[in-house]
Amino acid sequence: MPTTHRIATAILLAGFAPIAAAHTALAQAAPAAHPALADAIDQLAITRRYAEAVISPDGKWVAWVESLPATKDAPSQGSAIYVAPVAAGPAAKAPGAKGAAAKADARVAATAAATAAATAAAPQRVTAVSGDAPHDEHGVSWSPDGKSLAFLSDAADAGQLELYVAPAAGGTARQLTKLKGYLATPLWSPDGQTVAILFTENAPRASGPLQPRTPDVGVVEDHFFEQRLTTVSVATGQVHQLSPADLYVYEYDWSPDGKRFITTAAHGEGDDNWYIAELYTVDAASGDTRSILKPTTQIAVPRWSPDGKQVAFIGGIMSDEGIASGDIFVVDASGGTPRNITPGMKGSAYWLAWLPTGRVYFVAAMDGESGVGSVPAAGGPVQVLWTGAESIHGAADFALGLTLARDGKTTALSRESFSQPPEVWAGPVGAWRQVTSDNRDAHPTWGEAKNLRWKSDQFTVQGWLVYPKDFDPSRAYPMIVYVHGGPEGVVTPSYPETFGSATVLGSQGYFIFYPNFRGSAGQAESFTAANVKDYGYGDLRDILSGLTEVLHTAPIDSTRVGITGWSYGGYMTMWAVTQTHRFRAAVSGAGLANWLSYYGQNGIDKWMDSYFGGNVYDNPAVYAKSSPITFIKNVITPTLVVVGDRDIECPPPQSYEFWHALRTFGVKTQFVIYPNEGHEIGQPEHRRDIMRRMAAWFDENMR
């Protein structure tokens, strides 16, 4: 392997002492939370979360993965798998659903659903764990006959996942593998004789750029841990690594005859090259691998047609794994030119499957809501089957989705909205029945949410406005603008977690505004691509025109408006305070101060070329014009800056650079670095600290 030296390494080493000092300050100076905020955070911490909801092939059972119970003093540790029959009670609409039943009283519907769930058979836990110690169990896959479940568990060795198979009806789980490294995404073969997995041998960490970076020490070299497509015999446990040792496989699907796989994959470094992945077929016996498509855009979610002659996938200008979205394409399994079968669709597909009829079934973000639809494989009118002001989730690794039974009608998913905490549901689309009721005692500590639309340049832009708790129309309230990440993300109504949201500030008397500005998913590919070579300009105009609309809509004090966000939202926070003085205070999470230096510091630079029209070395002016640091002298807004110390996507030097500049020009600021954290803050105490600091910063500078 060639030896490389990174500028980022020198910057990080030079920043070692300040990082240590920041860690000390974190322990000593965390602000005390207001009692109402502390209670609101406690409620979010104990809310049960569902990472997966998977329907059985015959549509009669649903398996799901849920967080283990937590208390306000003891955060959830580990996850568990449960199986239950699809509830037989009356169907109940969630408040976000549309249709005739949506006008029914929400409380009556929720009560009926909870009653149906309570009278259904008690869920059966499927586990490899013996004893009471918490473990991580997830990655559920039903066998073709519906009698067994394959899943991943670290029951044998905490922190090391292995592949297990267990009877779906309950019984002893059987360990199939004893591997060292990272395992992901089990999927049964059509004949039920084999389970495929993605396996990264000897991986020092979990796959993906959201995870904390493994620190560089000594001579920095390119050393890749490739995630390989691997098969495991159910009868013997024999392991066969199929895909080439120099190819990183991100996603895969078995062909209907079980003889081949279709994959998204790329040679070289896995975190970075996701953005230039190709479609490969892999022979299930020999491992022979062949590229059938080198796309001009990003691709995701490849799925075989029922006859094995075609492959459908999602393509477009995208973002990270798991939040990839776009139009739906179909290509011949032998290769050729892909066909866009949803051109101009007013939405962005996140998940898809083939129906027995040959139509392509999908879940999409549609104008700030979740939607389910289908489209002919040859192209034609998109049929929207359902939309709702909520977020729906099915299998792991998808921002929006569901799972579909063999009949092409019965589904399983978790559903949540601003007002309803997550629960597992199952049944036909739009007539789901509630299966779980673990969060029946959870209640929002914020007010109602309203769907807003406004004009900005040539676009009609959409966003959500969350009201404060106990709203009084005679008062003037402060407001926080929360800018989502991506930039190709989207805000659909969801019950907030303790990270990545500002909704909980509704408990503190704030309005919260979530704009889905140009560059977001959920409108059309033309809207998603509208910020190419224009970062910070059109998208900020959308946000500011939305702010004007909100001020006309609700009793908000225009002199007490703050802004925050994480990742791209952190960048837009830094950018906004260099471009306008409309914001009284700002909190930038994992932000980007300087696109020129960022290109050489982050671990995923391949995504930037498509947005900026080339690399930074050939097009420095394009990068400079969108860099907050270029306009840093304009800032007067008090700004809190926070980041994880091992963030791969938005490295700490970017936050250092912005913070240092603010201090140089005498702008009020504070900088907090969270130890052993990546791009997504994972440790519960750090999540709480961010929420407390954010609330305290806005209170101090906006009240």
Side-chain angles (χ1 to χ4, degrees), residues 452-510:
L452 302 180
R453 292 176 180 82
W454 63 93
K455 293 293 293 185
S456 179
D457 298 339
Q458 72 272 35
F459 298 111
T460 298
V461 187
Q462 182 273 338
W464 294 97
L465 181 65
V466 178
Y467 277 59
K469 184 73 171 176
D470 301 323
F471 169 66
D472 178 357
S474 67
R475 286 183 53 193
Y477 288 86
M479 185 178 77
I480 305 303
V481 178
Y482 189 95
V483 186
H484 67 66
E488 183 257 350
V490 63
V491 176
T492 56
S494 62
Y495 208 75
E497 299 191 41
T498 54
F499 174 74
S501 171
T503 302
V504 73
L505 293 181
S507 68
Q508 304 300 291
Y510 288 92

Side-chain angles (χ1 to χ4, degrees), residues 41-349:
I41 296 173
D42 286 344
Q43 289 193 40
L44 296 184
I46 65 175
T47 300
R48 203 72 62 89
R49 303 289 170 174
Y50 302 96
E52 304 170 41
V54 186
I55 196 74
S56 63
D58 63 7
K60 295 180 179 180
W61 298 83
V62 57
W64 66 89
V65 176
E66 66 178 61
S67 57
L68 291 173
T71 68
K72 65 180 182 179
D73 299 316
S76 174
Q77 295 182 343
S79 53
I81 299 167
Y82 287 89
V83 176
V86 173
K93 289 262 187 178
K98 293 182 179 178
K103 297 181 180 179
D105 186 272
R107 289 171 295 180
V108 174
T111 301
T115 301
T119 58
Q124 172 73 44
R125 184 171 179 181
V126 175
T127 183
V129 176
S130 59
D132 297 327
H135 285 272
D136 180 9
E137 298 193 311
H138 66 273
V140 176
S141 178
W142 286 92
S143 62
D145 63 8
K147 295 181 180 180
S148 300
L149 288 174
F151 62 95
L152 301 173
S153 174
D154 69 348
D157 182 6
Q160 174 59 63
L161 294 170
E162 299 290 356
L163 179 65
Y164 289 80
V165 171
T172 303
R174 182 163 57 93
Q175 184 175 344
L176 294 187
T177 62
K178 193 172 183 180
L179 300 170
K180 183 180 180 181
Y182 184 70
L183 284 68
T185 323
L187 189 61
W188 289 80
S189 62
D191 64 6
Q193 302 300 306
T194 305
V195 177
I197 56 173
L198 296 177
F199 174 46
T200 312
E201 190 169 13
N202 297 318
R205 62 174 175 84
S207 298
L210 298 182
Q211 303 299 322
R213 179 197 293 268
T214 302
D216 291 328
V217 293
V219 177
V220 178
E221 297 179 316
D222 286 329
H223 184 74
F224 306 135
F225 293 89
E226 303 290 30
Q227 183 167 262
R228 300 176 66 184
L229 182 59
T230 300
T231 56
V232 182
S233 168
V234 175
T236 67
Q238 182 178 1
V239 175
H240 183 195
Q241 295 191 61
L242 274 177
S243 55
D246 64 345
L247 188 71
Y248 193 104
V249 178
Y250 301 96
E251 307 164 294
Y252 72 96
D253 187 35
W254 284 94
S255 63
D257 62 8
K259 294 181 179 180
R260 291 185 294 170
F261 296 92
I262 188 69
T263 71
T264 53
H267 291 282
E269 210 280 325
D271 290 344
D272 194 13
N273 290 327
W274 156 254
Y275 305 94
I276 57 171
E278 302 178 24
L279 276 184
Y280 289 84
T281 57
V282 181
D283 187 275
S286 68
D288 180 62
T289 301
R290 186 171 70 91
S291 174
I292 66 166
L293 178 66
K294 186 174 183 178
T296 57
T297 61
Q298 288 178 252
I299 58 173
V301 201
R303 295 293 183 265
W304 289 97
S305 62
D307 61 8
K309 294 180 179 180
Q310 300 180 95
V311 173
F313 63 92
I314 294 170
I317 190 163
M318 300 186 188
S319 193
D320 301 345
E321 297 172 66
I323 62 170
S325 68
D327 282 332
I328 299 172
F329 292 77
V330 172
V331 66
D332 291 343
S334 59
T337 302
R339 305 177 301 281
N340 186 344
I341 64 172
T342 58
M345 179 175 67
K346 298 301 182 183
S348 304

Side-chain angles (χ1 to χ4, degrees), residues 416-446:
E416 60 183 292
S417 68
F418 285 123
S419 60
Q420 293 293 312
E423 297 290 357
V424 175
W425 298 63
V429 168
W432 293 295
R433 295 180 174 89
Q434 191 171 340
V435 177
T436 65
S437 56
D438 292 317
N439 292 318
R440 57 186 172 274
D441 295 327
H443 302 288
T445 58
W446 50 92

